[in-house]
Amino acid sequence: MLHRIMALFLFFVFLPIATPAEPIALNYANFPPASTFPCVQMERWKTEVEKRTDGLLKIDTFPGGTLLGAKNMLRGVMSGQADIGCLCMSYQPGVFPMTTVVELPVEFKTSEQASLVLWDLYEKYKPQEFSRVKVLTMFTTAPSNLMTKKAVSDLKDMQGMQIRASGAASSILELLGATPVSMPMSETPEALQKGMVKGVFSSLEVLKDLDFADYCPYQTRLDLQVYPFAVVMNRSKWESLPEKARRVIDELSREQAEWTGQYMDRHVQEALAYARKKHGGQMFAFDDSDNELMLEKVRPLVADWKEAGEKRGLDSEAILKDLYRLRDKHAPQ
Ligand code: DTR
Protein backbone atom coordinates (compact mmCIF):
# COMPACT_ATOMS: atom_id res chain seq x y z
CA MET A 1 0.00 0.00 0.00
CA LEU A 2 2.75 2.39 1.02
CA HIS A 3 4.52 1.62 -2.24
CA ARG A 4 1.47 2.47 -4.24
CA ILE A 5 1.00 5.77 -2.46
CA MET A 6 4.68 6.59 -3.01
CA ALA A 7 4.40 5.71 -6.71
CA LEU A 8 1.31 7.89 -7.13
CA PHE A 9 3.01 10.74 -5.27
CA LEU A 10 6.10 10.52 -7.51
CA PHE A 11 3.93 10.29 -10.63
CA PHE A 12 2.13 13.55 -9.83
CA VAL A 13 5.24 15.38 -8.66
CA PHE A 14 7.22 14.57 -11.81
CA LEU A 15 4.38 14.71 -14.33
CA PRO A 16 4.71 18.44 -15.09
CA ILE A 17 8.42 18.04 -15.78
CA ALA A 18 7.93 15.08 -18.08
CA THR A 19 5.28 16.84 -20.23
CA PRO A 20 6.80 19.34 -22.69
CA ALA A 21 5.55 22.89 -22.05
CA GLU A 22 2.91 24.22 -24.45
CA PRO A 23 4.49 26.69 -26.90
CA ILE A 24 3.55 30.33 -26.55
CA ALA A 25 1.37 31.15 -29.57
CA LEU A 26 1.66 34.59 -31.20
CA ASN A 27 -0.44 35.78 -34.10
CA TYR A 28 1.13 37.84 -36.86
CA ALA A 29 -1.05 40.02 -39.14
CA ASN A 30 -0.12 41.13 -42.65
CA PHE A 31 -2.17 43.12 -45.17
CA PRO A 32 -1.23 42.00 -48.72
CA PRO A 33 -1.75 38.58 -50.35
CA ALA A 34 0.43 35.65 -49.28
CA SER A 35 2.38 35.69 -52.58
CA THR A 36 3.88 39.15 -51.93
CA PHE A 37 7.24 39.93 -50.34
CA PRO A 38 5.96 41.23 -46.95
CA CYS A 39 4.31 37.83 -46.46
CA VAL A 40 7.26 35.83 -47.78
CA GLN A 41 9.50 37.54 -45.22
CA MET A 42 6.85 36.86 -42.53
CA GLU A 43 6.96 33.10 -43.24
CA ARG A 44 10.77 33.12 -43.13
CA TRP A 45 10.71 34.94 -39.79
CA LYS A 46 8.18 32.45 -38.39
CA THR A 47 10.33 29.46 -39.44
CA GLU A 48 13.51 30.97 -37.98
CA VAL A 49 11.89 32.03 -34.70
CA GLU A 50 10.23 28.66 -34.13
CA LYS A 51 13.50 26.87 -34.91
CA ARG A 52 15.80 29.14 -32.93
CA THR A 53 13.58 29.13 -29.81
CA ASP A 54 13.40 25.29 -29.97
CA GLY A 55 9.64 25.46 -30.27
CA LEU A 56 9.16 27.80 -27.30
CA LEU A 57 7.23 30.14 -29.61
CA LYS A 58 4.62 29.23 -32.21
CA ILE A 59 3.80 31.90 -34.79
CA ASP A 60 0.38 31.86 -36.48
CA THR A 61 0.45 33.96 -39.63
CA PHE A 62 -2.50 35.85 -41.17
CA PRO A 63 -1.76 37.21 -44.67
CA GLY A 64 -4.20 39.06 -46.92
CA GLY A 65 -5.71 41.36 -44.28
CA THR A 66 -7.53 38.46 -42.61
CA LEU A 67 -6.64 39.74 -39.13
CA LEU A 68 -5.77 43.45 -39.69
CA GLY A 69 -5.80 45.66 -42.79
CA ALA A 70 -3.14 48.02 -44.19
CA LYS A 71 -4.27 51.14 -42.39
CA ASN A 72 -5.24 49.83 -38.95
CA MET A 73 -2.12 47.71 -38.41
CA LEU A 74 -0.41 49.94 -35.83
CA ARG A 75 -3.60 50.58 -33.88
CA GLY A 76 -4.55 46.91 -34.04
CA VAL A 77 -1.20 45.79 -32.64
CA MET A 78 -1.25 48.45 -29.91
CA SER A 79 -4.72 47.38 -28.80
CA GLY A 80 -3.75 43.69 -28.88
CA GLN A 81 -6.03 42.60 -31.75
CA ALA A 82 -2.87 41.07 -33.18
CA ASP A 83 0.36 40.35 -31.29
CA ILE A 84 2.54 41.21 -34.30
CA GLY A 85 1.78 43.22 -37.44
CA CYS A 86 3.57 44.30 -40.61
CA LEU A 87 2.93 47.87 -41.72
CA CYS A 88 4.00 50.18 -44.51
CA MET A 89 4.86 53.63 -43.14
CA SER A 90 3.94 55.32 -46.44
CA TYR A 91 0.27 54.43 -46.04
CA GLN A 92 -0.22 56.79 -43.08
CA PRO A 93 1.29 60.16 -44.01
CA GLY A 94 2.45 62.14 -40.97
CA VAL A 95 2.37 59.21 -38.55
CA PHE A 96 6.03 58.18 -39.08
CA PRO A 97 7.85 61.51 -39.57
CA MET A 98 11.35 60.13 -39.02
CA THR A 99 11.56 56.75 -40.75
CA THR A 100 9.81 58.08 -43.87
CA VAL A 101 13.07 59.91 -44.56
CA VAL A 102 14.01 56.85 -46.66
CA GLU A 103 11.09 57.66 -48.98
CA LEU A 104 13.05 60.63 -50.28
CA PRO A 105 14.32 60.31 -53.86
CA VAL A 106 17.98 59.75 -52.96
CA GLU A 107 18.60 57.14 -55.64
CA PHE A 108 18.84 53.93 -53.69
CA LYS A 109 19.95 51.16 -56.02
CA THR A 110 18.68 48.07 -54.21
CA SER A 111 16.30 46.94 -51.51
CA GLU A 112 19.18 45.43 -49.52
CA GLN A 113 20.92 48.81 -49.45
CA ALA A 114 17.80 50.78 -48.45
CA SER A 115 16.69 48.17 -45.89
CA LEU A 116 20.03 48.32 -44.07
CA VAL A 117 19.96 52.13 -44.16
CA LEU A 118 16.46 52.14 -42.64
CA TRP A 119 17.40 49.64 -39.92
CA ASP A 120 20.61 51.48 -39.01
CA LEU A 121 18.74 54.80 -38.84
CA TYR A 122 16.09 53.23 -36.62
CA GLU A 123 18.73 51.74 -34.31
CA LYS A 124 20.54 55.04 -34.01
CA TYR A 125 17.57 57.35 -33.47
CA LYS A 126 14.95 55.01 -31.86
CA PRO A 127 12.27 57.48 -32.97
CA GLN A 128 9.30 58.45 -30.85
CA GLU A 129 6.89 57.29 -33.58
CA PHE A 130 7.52 53.64 -32.59
CA SER A 131 7.73 54.14 -28.83
CA ARG A 132 4.41 52.46 -28.10
CA VAL A 133 5.32 49.16 -29.75
CA LYS A 134 8.31 46.84 -29.91
CA VAL A 135 9.96 46.96 -33.36
CA LEU A 136 11.03 43.50 -34.55
CA THR A 137 12.54 44.44 -37.90
CA MET A 138 12.31 46.94 -40.76
CA PHE A 139 12.93 46.74 -44.50
CA THR A 140 12.05 48.51 -47.71
CA THR A 141 10.89 47.65 -51.19
CA ALA A 142 13.27 47.76 -54.11
CA PRO A 143 13.34 51.20 -55.81
CA SER A 144 10.02 52.19 -57.40
CA ASN A 145 9.57 52.16 -61.15
CA LEU A 146 6.66 52.68 -63.50
CA MET A 147 4.46 49.85 -64.73
CA THR A 148 1.99 51.17 -67.28
CA LYS A 149 -0.67 50.22 -69.80
CA LYS A 150 0.80 52.64 -72.37
CA ALA A 151 4.52 53.07 -72.98
CA VAL A 152 6.27 55.87 -71.03
CA SER A 153 9.63 56.54 -72.65
CA ASP A 154 10.10 60.16 -71.58
CA LEU A 155 8.74 62.69 -69.09
CA LYS A 156 6.23 63.96 -71.63
CA ASP A 157 4.51 60.57 -71.86
CA MET A 158 3.56 60.58 -68.20
CA GLN A 159 1.94 64.01 -68.10
CA GLY A 160 -1.55 63.77 -66.58
CA MET A 161 -1.42 59.96 -66.48
CA GLN A 162 -3.34 58.49 -63.53
CA ILE A 163 -0.84 56.40 -61.66
CA ARG A 164 -1.29 54.61 -58.38
CA ALA A 165 1.19 55.35 -55.57
CA SER A 166 1.23 56.02 -51.82
CA GLY A 167 2.94 58.46 -49.44
CA ALA A 168 5.96 60.38 -50.76
CA ALA A 169 5.71 58.47 -54.04
CA SER A 170 2.49 60.39 -54.74
CA SER A 171 4.29 63.72 -54.27
CA ILE A 172 7.02 62.50 -56.63
CA LEU A 173 4.50 61.66 -59.33
CA GLU A 174 2.83 65.03 -58.90
CA LEU A 175 6.13 66.89 -59.29
CA LEU A 176 6.78 64.88 -62.45
CA GLY A 177 3.44 65.93 -63.92
CA ALA A 178 1.44 62.71 -63.50
CA THR A 179 -1.85 62.45 -61.58
CA PRO A 180 -1.21 60.34 -58.48
CA VAL A 181 -3.99 58.16 -57.14
CA SER A 182 -3.21 57.05 -53.56
CA MET A 183 -4.20 53.66 -52.21
CA PRO A 184 -2.55 50.69 -50.47
CA MET A 185 -1.20 47.89 -52.62
CA SER A 186 -4.00 45.61 -51.45
CA GLU A 187 -6.54 47.78 -53.36
CA THR A 188 -4.46 48.21 -56.51
CA PRO A 189 -5.33 45.05 -58.52
CA GLU A 190 -9.00 46.08 -58.60
CA ALA A 191 -8.15 49.69 -59.52
CA LEU A 192 -6.06 48.45 -62.46
CA GLN A 193 -8.70 46.00 -63.56
CA LYS A 194 -11.43 48.62 -63.52
CA GLY A 195 -9.22 51.12 -65.34
CA MET A 196 -9.30 53.63 -62.44
CA VAL A 197 -5.53 53.92 -62.87
CA LYS A 198 -3.38 53.57 -65.98
CA GLY A 199 -0.30 52.43 -64.20
CA VAL A 200 1.47 51.75 -60.91
CA PHE A 201 4.56 53.33 -59.33
CA SER A 202 6.14 50.64 -57.17
CA SER A 203 8.85 48.03 -57.04
CA LEU A 204 8.65 45.66 -59.99
CA GLU A 205 8.23 42.31 -58.20
CA VAL A 206 4.42 42.86 -58.28
CA LEU A 207 4.58 42.23 -62.04
CA LYS A 208 4.71 38.60 -60.99
CA ASP A 209 3.35 38.40 -57.44
CA LEU A 210 0.12 40.25 -58.28
CA ASP A 211 0.36 39.57 -62.01
CA PHE A 212 0.42 43.26 -62.88
CA ALA A 213 2.33 42.20 -66.01
CA ASP A 214 -1.07 41.19 -67.28
CA TYR A 215 -2.30 44.83 -67.22
CA CYS A 216 0.97 46.73 -67.54
CA PRO A 217 3.13 45.45 -70.39
CA TYR A 218 5.41 48.51 -70.22
CA GLN A 219 7.91 49.44 -67.53
CA THR A 220 10.05 52.55 -67.11
CA ARG A 221 13.13 52.53 -64.92
CA LEU A 222 13.21 55.58 -62.63
CA ASP A 223 14.80 54.03 -59.49
CA LEU A 224 13.64 57.04 -57.52
CA GLN A 225 12.27 56.03 -54.19
CA VAL A 226 11.54 53.10 -51.85
CA TYR A 227 8.67 52.29 -49.49
CA PRO A 228 9.59 51.59 -45.82
CA PHE A 229 8.02 48.79 -43.76
CA ALA A 230 8.14 47.88 -40.07
CA VAL A 231 7.18 44.74 -38.18
CA VAL A 232 5.88 45.69 -34.75
CA MET A 233 4.76 43.82 -31.66
CA ASN A 234 2.37 44.66 -28.84
CA ARG A 235 4.53 45.99 -26.01
CA SER A 236 3.03 44.15 -23.07
CA LYS A 237 3.01 40.90 -25.05
CA TRP A 238 6.72 41.47 -25.76
CA GLU A 239 7.45 42.11 -22.11
CA SER A 240 5.62 38.91 -21.13
CA LEU A 241 7.92 36.72 -23.28
CA PRO A 242 10.68 34.62 -21.69
CA GLU A 243 14.17 36.12 -21.88
CA LYS A 244 15.37 33.43 -24.32
CA ALA A 245 12.60 34.21 -26.81
CA ARG A 246 13.31 37.93 -26.65
CA ARG A 247 17.01 37.33 -27.23
CA VAL A 248 16.36 35.18 -30.31
CA ILE A 249 13.99 37.79 -31.77
CA ASP A 250 16.38 40.66 -31.12
CA GLU A 251 19.26 38.77 -32.70
CA LEU A 252 17.16 38.25 -35.82
CA SER A 253 16.20 41.92 -36.42
CA ARG A 254 19.02 43.13 -38.63
CA GLU A 255 19.50 39.74 -40.28
CA GLN A 256 15.81 39.76 -41.25
CA ALA A 257 16.15 43.25 -42.77
CA GLU A 258 19.10 42.07 -44.84
CA TRP A 259 17.43 38.78 -45.82
CA THR A 260 14.28 40.58 -46.98
CA GLY A 261 16.30 43.09 -49.02
CA GLN A 262 18.23 40.32 -50.74
CA TYR A 263 15.08 38.31 -51.41
CA MET A 264 13.38 41.39 -52.88
CA ASP A 265 16.29 42.24 -55.18
CA ARG A 266 16.44 38.66 -56.49
CA HIS A 267 12.72 38.50 -56.89
CA VAL A 268 12.52 41.71 -58.95
CA GLN A 269 14.80 40.04 -61.52
CA GLU A 270 12.61 36.92 -61.52
CA ALA A 271 9.49 39.06 -61.98
CA LEU A 272 11.01 40.91 -64.92
CA ALA A 273 11.98 37.62 -66.57
CA TYR A 274 8.43 36.37 -65.96
CA ALA A 275 6.88 39.52 -67.47
CA ARG A 276 9.05 39.19 -70.58
CA LYS A 277 8.32 35.52 -71.04
CA LYS A 278 4.60 35.51 -70.30
CA HIS A 279 3.58 38.94 -71.58
CA GLY A 280 6.48 40.09 -73.77
CA GLY A 281 6.78 43.33 -71.84
CA GLN A 282 9.17 46.13 -72.70
CA MET A 283 11.39 48.27 -70.45
CA PHE A 284 12.20 51.95 -71.06
CA ALA A 285 14.59 54.40 -69.41
CA PHE A 286 14.71 58.20 -69.78
CA ASP A 287 17.59 59.76 -71.69
CA ASP A 288 20.19 61.75 -69.76
CA SER A 289 18.51 65.13 -70.11
CA ASP A 290 15.09 63.85 -68.93
CA ASN A 291 16.81 62.02 -66.10
CA GLU A 292 18.47 65.20 -64.94
CA LEU A 293 15.25 67.15 -65.28
CA MET A 294 13.45 64.49 -63.26
CA LEU A 295 15.98 64.64 -60.42
CA GLU A 296 15.79 68.42 -60.40
CA LYS A 297 12.00 68.36 -60.21
CA VAL A 298 11.92 66.04 -57.18
CA ARG A 299 14.79 67.67 -55.28
CA PRO A 300 12.54 70.08 -53.31
CA LEU A 301 11.11 67.07 -51.45
CA VAL A 302 14.31 66.87 -49.39
CA ALA A 303 13.94 70.46 -48.13
CA ASP A 304 10.23 69.86 -47.49
CA TRP A 305 11.01 66.79 -45.39
CA LYS A 306 13.68 68.70 -43.48
CA GLU A 307 11.28 71.49 -42.60
CA ALA A 308 8.43 69.15 -41.68
CA GLY A 309 10.82 67.11 -39.51
CA GLU A 310 12.05 70.16 -37.66
CA LYS A 311 8.47 71.16 -36.92
CA ARG A 312 7.98 67.73 -35.34
CA GLY A 313 11.10 68.20 -33.19
CA LEU A 314 13.48 66.04 -35.25
CA ASP A 315 17.13 66.86 -35.80
CA SER A 316 16.46 66.77 -39.55
CA GLU A 317 19.91 67.89 -40.56
CA ALA A 318 21.67 65.13 -38.64
CA ILE A 319 19.21 62.52 -39.92
CA LEU A 320 19.72 63.59 -43.53
CA LYS A 321 23.46 63.52 -43.09
CA ASP A 322 23.21 59.96 -41.75
CA LEU A 323 20.88 59.02 -44.59
CA TYR A 324 23.45 59.98 -47.21
CA ARG A 325 26.34 58.48 -45.25
CA LEU A 326 24.56 55.15 -44.78
CA ARG A 327 23.34 55.13 -48.40
CA ASP A 328 26.96 55.30 -49.52
CA LYS A 329 28.15 52.83 -46.89
CA HIS A 330 25.59 50.20 -47.96
CA ALA A 331 25.84 50.92 -51.70
CA PRO A 332 26.03 47.73 -53.78
CA GLN A 333 29.55 47.06 -55.06
N1 DTR B 1 5.51 49.90 -53.17
C1 DTR B 1 4.62 49.91 -52.05
C2 DTR B 1 4.89 48.77 -51.21
C3 DTR B 1 4.87 47.49 -51.91
C4 DTR B 1 5.67 47.03 -52.92
N2 DTR B 1 5.37 45.74 -53.21
C5 DTR B 1 4.37 45.34 -52.40
C6 DTR B 1 3.69 44.15 -52.31
C7 DTR B 1 2.68 44.06 -51.38
C8 DTR B 1 2.36 45.11 -50.55
C9 DTR B 1 3.02 46.31 -50.61
C10 DTR B 1 4.04 46.43 -51.55
C11 DTR B 1 3.29 50.03 -52.56
O1 DTR B 1 3.23 50.24 -53.76
O2 DTR B 1 2.33 49.99 -51.82
Side-chain angles (χ1 to χ4, degrees), residues 64-82:
T66 45
L67 186 55
L68 288 173
K71 290 189 181 169
N72 60 355
M73 199 57 83
L74 182 64
R75 220 170 333 119
V77 167
M78 274 165 39
S79 68
Q81 271 174 284

Side-chain angles (χ1 to χ4, degrees), residues 58 75 96 107 122 135 148 153 184 187 214 245 284 290 317 331:
K58 178 177 175 294
R75 220 170 333 119
F96 304 100
E107 297 177 87
Y122 171 72
V135 174
T148 50
S153 61
E187 292 167 23
D214 207 15
F284 296 91
D290 259 16
E317 198 158 328

